[in-house]
Amino acid sequence: SCTLITPQQRDAILRLRRLLALAQSYAPWHTTCLANALVARLWCKYSDLPYFLFIGVIKQQEKSWKEGHAWITSGPIAITGGDCFEQYY
């Protein structure tokens, strides 16, 4: 199940998602999914928006190393990282 959000929260979340994507495109370095998720978490907390922070590893048995991914959702909206539930533990 997902957290219910108000229409005002939905608008703020979509605005935050656009602003984070814009800031990432102007960063003079490569930003990681973990850094993006942590920045989104800070802004959600600052803006009093509900959020879930996910950190997972990929579901591949043949690799000896694990690939990780981090993402943030708020209600049904992925703020960073996109829809990854099927690919990661």
Side-chain angles (χ1 to χ4, degrees):
S1 71
C2 63
T3 303
L4 297 177
I5 55 175
T6 66
Q8 294 82 9
Q9 288 173 324
R10 181 184 179 279
D11 292 344
I13 291 162
L14 292 174
R15 188 170 41 254
L16 174 60
R17 184 170 70 174
R18 284 191 305 271
L19 290 173
L20 289 170
L22 181 64
Q24 180 182 358
S25 70
Y26 281 100
W29 56 82
H30 173 73
T31 59
T32 64
C33 59
L34 180 59
N36 293 336
L38 292 176
V39 169
R41 179 192 170 277
L42 289 173
W43 277 106
C44 284
K45 190 172 179 95
Y46 176 78
S47 303
D48 200 27
L49 297 170
Y51 65 90
F52 288 104
L53 169 64
F54 296 94
I55 299 175
V57 293
I58 199 159
K59 295 179 180 180
Q60 288 185 343
Q61 301 294 338
E62 67 273 1
K63 290 186 179 181
S64 61
W65 54 272
K66 297 289 184 186
E67 179 183 329
H69 187 52
W71 65 100
I72 290 272
T73 63
S74 184
I77 302 169
I79 299 174
T80 66
D83 297 324
C84 308
F85 291 106
E86 293 81 28
Q87 298 172 341
Y88 293 90
Y89 287 112

